[in-house]
Amino acid sequence: MRACLSSIALAALAGTQVVSAAPVAGSAKLIGRDDAAGIQYVPGSVDWDKVDWNQVNWSAVSWDAVNWQSVFSSEQPPIYTSEAPVSSAQSQPPSAAPAPTSAVPAPPSVVPAPVPPSVVPQPSKTTPAPAPTSVVPPPPTAAPTPAPSPKPQPSPSPSPSPKPSPEPVYTSESTPEPVTSSPAAPEPEKPTSGGSLWGLTYSPYNIDGSCPDVGTVTSQLQKVAGVTGNIRLYSTDCSQLRNALQAISSSNLNLGIHAGLWISDGESRMQSDLDEFIAATKQYDSSLVKGVSVGNEDLSKGMSESTLIGYINQVRARLQSEGLGHIPVYATEQDAHFTKAIAAVCDVVQVNIYSIFDSIFTSVDSSVKSVIQRADNIRNNVAGGKPVRFGETGWSSAGSTGPSPLSLTSEIAYVQKFKCAAAAAGYDYFYFEAKDALWKQGQALSEQSFGIFGHDFVQKFDFGLLNLC
């Protein structure tokens, strides 16, 4: 094969084809071919070391005439010399010579040195000849120019995501394969509707403490519905329950409402909230209301256990008389104050648990582990087999509550880790809270900075960070 290809190259170098009806003295047969032009020959004695292979005119080669059977034969083809002329019978093409296929070899950029007749093959002294590959692409019409090796392209800047995959580090020992097509740069990860957090607490008050209109509530709950499927309210004042029901109904939001009655100001306020709760729930679809909490941390504020139990029973009886007995009734209390007696009259044991106020801080992971362990204690020793749910837990992004570091970075870390830990432990929860509570004027900065939204309802961080555990 090597000698044959070299001879082909020589014909191209000459730029002409010797055509005759009989062998030319001193020539060797290049290609056996019968056609209108006759049989083609080229000189059989060449000083191969003097051939400039880069000057070969490859376009002059008649590729259709190549005897490919002899080229790919494992046997060395016969060498014809001037002392052994080719007969007319030998000039006929082999009967089984195959037509060139798509795997036709093309001349390499540097052609291997041919084997002169009766001489043992030696590599060229002036131009080292690389060994030809077993399968070479079809020959181009002109000698191909080697394409430069593609340079590795930097990956598009990753969109902000957890634990982004590090960009590859290229070294001289490891060069990446060229990329033929780059996938579209991934878009920033968006929170799944109702899928990032189980629940959020929501207090709708304006910065100055005034009541928002239904349009404002609707706008805010449309954003809330992008990150959770449940909201917790604390009262019915400012028409907040009615506005929330209207917003969810009119905008077809995937939100369930867990309502609240404020009882810290006495029975009169409790009755006022209960009346509004019943009226608003009946006006809209009552199936949107998933439960009602009678108070919030009232034992911690000094209310007696018997008074709280009396309020819970009173609310349940009233709802049953109004045809709303399907709505769960319960108290919400700090875990340290939740008693078995309170749990006994509740449909759900809802506890507020924070580690941000602990006197010792080691890590956010430890803080998350602490609140889960405290919830486990309620489930195992207080709840009496009833479901336990976090009514509040969270982390402030500013201010100070002790040794725990209050920053946006810590808040993000806590909500991420808590969400995953609560899901693993089987707890539903309301994360505290939807927006920063600047309406709590005169209170500590830490108390005003628990929101995952700012006071203007702009996200404080990328909620895509909440989607992975």
Side-chain angles (χ1 to χ4, degrees), residues 201-216:
T201 67
Y202 174 66
S203 297
Y205 310 109
N206 295 325
I207 294 176
D208 61 1
S210 61
C211 300
D213 58 27
V214 67
T216 299

Side-chain angles (χ1 to χ4, degrees), residues 2 10 13 45-53 112-116 119-129:
R2 179 168 174 159
L10 182 61
L13 179 64
S45 177
V46 177
D47 186 352
W48 299 102
D49 288 341
K50 294 182 179 181
V51 174
D52 186 353
W53 297 102
V115 181
V119 178
V120 178
Q122 294 293 332
S124 172
K125 296 179 181 179
T126 57
T127 306

Side-chain angles (χ1 to χ4, degrees), residues 294 308-317 329-331 342 345-346:
V294 181
L308 179 55
I309 291 174
Y311 284 157
I312 293 171
N313 289 334
Q314 185 177 344
V315 170
R316 180 178 287 110
V329 179
Y330 44 86
I342 298 296
V345 296
C346 292

Side-chain angles (χ1 to χ4, degrees), residues 36-61:
I39 303 174
Q40 301 175 5
Y41 294 87
V42 296
S45 177
V46 177
D47 186 352
W48 299 102
D49 288 341
K50 294 182 179 181
V51 174
D52 186 353
W53 297 102
N54 292 325
Q55 299 300 318
V56 174
N57 183 6
W58 296 105
S59 62
V61 177

Side-chain angles (χ1 to χ4, degrees), residues 382-431:
V382 177
K386 294 183 178 180
V388 175
R389 180 170 66 207
F390 283 83
E392 292 179 11
T393 192
W395 199 277
S396 181
S397 63
S400 176
T401 57
S404 297
L406 305 189
S407 66
L408 183 57
T409 299
S410 296
E411 179 183 9
I412 294 170
Y414 183 85
V415 66
Q416 283 181 308
K417 295 175 185 298
F418 170 79
K419 174 203 168 184
C420 299
Y427 290 112
D428 294 338
Y429 59 88
F430 294 100
Y431 189 81

